Amino acid sequence: MLKNDVDKEEPSRDLYHQVYLAILEHRLPPGTKLGEDKLAKIFNVSRARVREILARLSHEGVVELVPQKGAHVARPSPKQARHVMEMRRLIEPGIVRKLITSLDDEKHAKLLAHLDAETTARRDADTQAIIRLSGDFHFLLGDLCGNEFLARSIRELSTLTCLIIYLYDAPTSDACRDDEHAEIVNAVVAKDADLAAELVTRHLDHIEASLKLSDGVQVVDIEQVFSQISAKPNAKG
Amino acid sequence: MLKNDVDKEEPSRDLYHQVYLAILEHRLPPGTKLGEDKLAKIFNVSRARVREILARLSHEGVVELVPQKGAHVARPSPKQARHVMEMRRLIEPGIVRKLITSLDDEKHAKLLAHLDAETTARRDADTQAIIRLSGDFHFLLGDLCGNEFLARSIRELSTLTCLIIYLYDAPTSDACRDDEHAEIVNAVVAKDADLAAELVTRHLDHIEASLKLSDGVQVVDIEQVFSQISAKPNAKG
DNA sequence: GGCTACAAATATGTCGACAATAACGTCAAT
DNA sequence: ATTGACGTTATTGTCGACATATTTGTAGCC
């Protein structure tokens, strides 16, 4: 009997990746309560283990950990969203430049393989795969650039971008268009550093432009509902 | 009776800052074993608390957490050192540029106050304060730039730089010279973004240039001691 | 005499239980 | 009927104890 069942292979690592993936794929929307007992029961692990994973996810910015309130999937504010994109514009062009200087056949192949996966997912209209792969593309750029610190940063920022896109309504098909990723890869394999850097910057600009980052207070959702009733009496009456 | 005793005010936060500060000031050199029971006894807290702090420090890259081996103060490799400096060169010029665009009187005052503290420490030859303040300067730039993600990144990278300087023998007086910080502040308050960015880059170049990042294997310190005895018989004989 | 194997000790990994706090529902009083 | 206070419940915070692995010391054997 082969160990084809991955149910309880490595409970702790499994838990981390499961939660992480679920958040990336928007199956756990921003704001979702992540109760410790709940997760412990679901994954058949101890609460201490859940707590450890939650702390790790909190440090990565994926979940918000409030004392005496528990863990929730992070809800980046518009201000934070702008800061995330700002930092990405700062480091991601540098990442592709560095990637170009260290490009080899293996990296080349990985980039093309990813593009294939993206086009396949898009052809099959596999929404969850599209969302996941759109983020994975930027993870890949970070991993291939050869700098572990840059890789970790862009990974965290891309993950937050995934949450931001969900929150601020950027249609994925428009935000992370397949052809933009392909154009970037083309510039990279052509070793045109300036072009690649500019394409990345434009790509990030497109993403941010498609976001609806209203400056209005949006931390309190209750007031939004309240304003819909009291501040707009002419809507129905 | 006033609560002037800070002994057991906030044990967990105290523990974190104490360890962090001790590492920054090189009182806990890279590689130092951080036993859980030891720390628990010293700070009169439970082991679980120590474990939590250690995990946090591990996430920040300050300590290395090896399964079944415990926690040690991180020892960045030469490769990691280069990557740290590479990333700093990528984001720190952007940080000062952003700081300039949002400069106000309050930030201005904080920058000058820091320079005063640095010159005072240098005049008094307070080595530990000099080391701490040299790192704090870059923390301050991050905090004042207004982007929390950039601030966190530069804080972590500066901390690692502090360990790197200790490991690879850059004399602090030469690596983080007071006047270089002062020149950067001058350019910032003059709102000369290009000059400030260039000065920061040069500053980072100077730091890296003063490091002795030999590519030789240096992960095992035991072999270093061993080589001093067997490989250099002509030293004393 | 040196090496190996076993055992003891120390330190880490893991867990369950208890305590405290916040959220929720209920009841009573105005 | 509505509001305020109180009690219950559920969830998080904290801790000590047990299990496991690694290291060190010792004794026996080659």
Side-chain angles (χ1 to χ4, degrees):
Chain A
M1 186 184 290
L2 296 172
K3 48 176 178 179
N4 44 8
D5 284 343
V6 288
D7 290 338
K8 299 172 184 178
E9 194 172 325
E10 286 186 10
S12 63
R13 200 158 298 181
D14 194 45
L15 167 60
Y16 173 79
H17 284 119
Q18 288 285 342
V19 175
Y20 193 87
L21 193 62
I23 293 177
L24 274 187
E25 290 183 346
H26 297 166
R27 278 165 25 224
L28 288 175
T32 305
K33 174 73 179 287
L34 299 174
E36 298 181 357
D37 275 318
K38 288 258 186 68
L39 289 173
K41 293 288 182 188
I42 293 170
F43 289 89
N44 279 328
V45 297
S46 71
R47 247 187 67 211
R49 206 72 191 163
V50 174
R51 228 175 148 69
E52 186 186 331
I53 300 295
L54 253 35
R56 185 174 160 193
L57 289 167
S58 169
H59 187 269
E60 293 173 4
V62 182
V63 310
E64 201 174 353
L65 211 51
V66 182
Q68 303 288 358
K69 288 289 188 68
H72 296 254
V73 179
R75 293 177 76 257
S77 67
K79 185 178 177 183
Q80 287 176 317
R82 273 188 286 267
H83 288 171
V84 166
M85 298 312 293
E86 184 176 62
M87 183 161 172
R88 289 190 63 172
R89 272 195 299 269
L90 210 50
I91 70 174
E92 211 152 342
I95 285 178
V96 293
R97 284 181 187 276
K98 182 164 168 53
L99 168 56
I100 288 173
T101 65
S102 67
L103 192 68
D104 56 23
D105 290 342
E106 186 185 343
K107 295 181 179 181
H108 189 136
K110 286 184 180 176
L111 287 170
L112 295 183
H114 178 88
L115 287 184
D116 278 346
E118 267 198 79
T119 49
T120 300
R122 221 168 279 269
R123 189 196 57 199
D124 298 345
D126 186 347
T127 309
Q128 284 187 353
I130 292 173
I131 295 175
R132 190 182 61 246
L133 289 170
S134 294
D136 278 345
F137 176 69
H138 299 276
F139 294 178
L140 186 62
L141 293 180
D143 290 337
L144 296 185
C145 87
N147 185 321
E148 59 180 299
F149 301 99
L150 284 171
R152 234 184 38 191
S153 259
I154 200 61
R155 182 170 163 276
E156 289 185 15
L157 293 171
S158 296
T159 306
L160 287 175
T161 304
C162 192
L163 294 176
I164 289 165
I165 288 175
Y166 179 90
L167 279 171
Y168 302 107
D169 189 35
T172 307
S173 55
D174 201 80
C176 265
R177 290 203 331 242
D178 196 17
D179 53 345
E180 287 199 344
H181 286 180
E183 285 175 18
I184 292 171
V185 170
N186 284 339
V188 167
V189 300
K191 288 180 182 283
D192 190 339
D194 291 335
L195 177 61
E198 190 190 327
L199 287 175
V200 166
T201 302
R202 283 225 303 254
H203 181 48
L204 294 173
D205 286 340
H206 288 167
I207 293 177
E208 188 167 0
S210 71
L211 300 177
K212 296 170 184 168
L213 298 176
S214 58
D215 281 320
V217 231
Q218 80 102 27
V219 274
V220 190
D221 35 334
I222 315 167
E223 293 194 3
Q224 283 186 342
V225 182
F226 198 63
S227 63
Q228 284 181 1
I229 300 173
S230 65
K232 276 198 165 187
N234 53 348
K236 273 255 181 174
Chain B
M1 187 183 291
L2 296 172
K3 48 176 179 179
N4 45 7
D5 284 345
V6 287
D7 291 338
K8 299 171 184 178
E9 194 172 325
E10 287 186 10
S12 64
R13 199 158 298 181
D14 193 44
L15 167 60
Y16 173 79
H17 284 120
Q18 288 284 341
V19 175
Y20 193 87
L21 194 62
I23 293 176
L24 273 188
E25 291 183 347
H26 297 165
R27 277 164 26 223
L28 289 175
T32 305
K33 174 73 179 290
L34 299 174
E36 298 181 356
D37 275 318
K38 287 260 186 67
L39 288 172
K41 293 288 182 187
I42 293 171
F43 288 90
N44 279 329
V45 296
S46 72
R47 247 188 69 214
R49 206 73 188 165
V50 174
R51 223 175 152 70
E52 184 185 332
I53 300 297
L54 254 35
R56 185 174 161 193
L57 290 168
S58 171
H59 288 150
E60 294 173 4
V62 182
V63 309
E64 200 174 353
L65 212 50
V66 181
Q68 304 289 358
K69 287 290 186 68
H72 296 254
V73 179
R75 295 177 74 257
S77 68
K79 186 178 177 182
Q80 288 177 317
R82 274 188 285 268
H83 287 171
V84 166
M85 299 312 294
E86 184 176 61
M87 182 160 172
R88 288 190 64 172
R89 273 195 298 269
L90 209 51
I91 70 173
E92 211 153 342
I95 285 178
V96 294
R97 284 181 186 276
K98 182 163 167 55
L99 167 57
I100 287 173
T101 65
S102 67
L103 193 67
D104 56 22
D105 291 343
E106 186 185 344
K107 296 182 178 180
H108 189 137
K110 286 184 179 176
L111 287 171
L112 295 183
H114 179 88
L115 287 184
D116 278 347
E118 267 199 78
T119 50
T120 300
R122 222 168 278 270
R123 189 196 57 199
D124 298 344
D126 186 347
T127 309
Q128 284 188 353
I130 292 173
I131 296 174
R132 189 182 62 246
L133 289 170
S134 293
D136 278 344
F137 175 70
H138 300 276
F139 294 178
L140 185 61
L141 293 180
D143 290 337
L144 296 185
C145 86
N147 185 320
E148 58 181 301
F149 301 98
L150 284 171
R152 234 183 41 190
S153 259
I154 200 60
R155 181 170 163 278
E156 289 185 16
L157 293 170
S158 296
T159 306
L160 287 176
T161 304
C162 193
L163 294 177
I164 289 165
I165 288 175
Y166 179 90
L167 280 171
Y168 302 107
D169 189 35
T172 308
S173 55
D174 201 80
C176 264
R177 289 202 334 240
D178 195 16
D179 53 346
E180 286 199 344
H181 286 181
E183 284 175 19
I184 292 171
V185 170
N186 284 338
V188 167
V189 300
K191 288 181 182 284
D192 189 339
D194 290 335
L195 177 60
E198 190 190 327
L199 287 175
V200 166
T201 303
R202 285 225 304 255
H203 181 48
L204 294 172
D205 286 339
H206 288 166
I207 293 177
E208 188 167 2
S210 71
L211 300 176
K212 298 169 184 170
L213 298 175
S214 58
D215 282 318
V217 234
Q218 78 102 28
V219 274
V220 190
D221 37 332
I222 314 166
E223 293 195 4
Q224 284 187 341
V225 183
F226 198 64
S227 63
Q228 284 181 0
I229 300 172
S230 66
K232 274 197 165 187
N234 53 347
K236 275 253 181 175

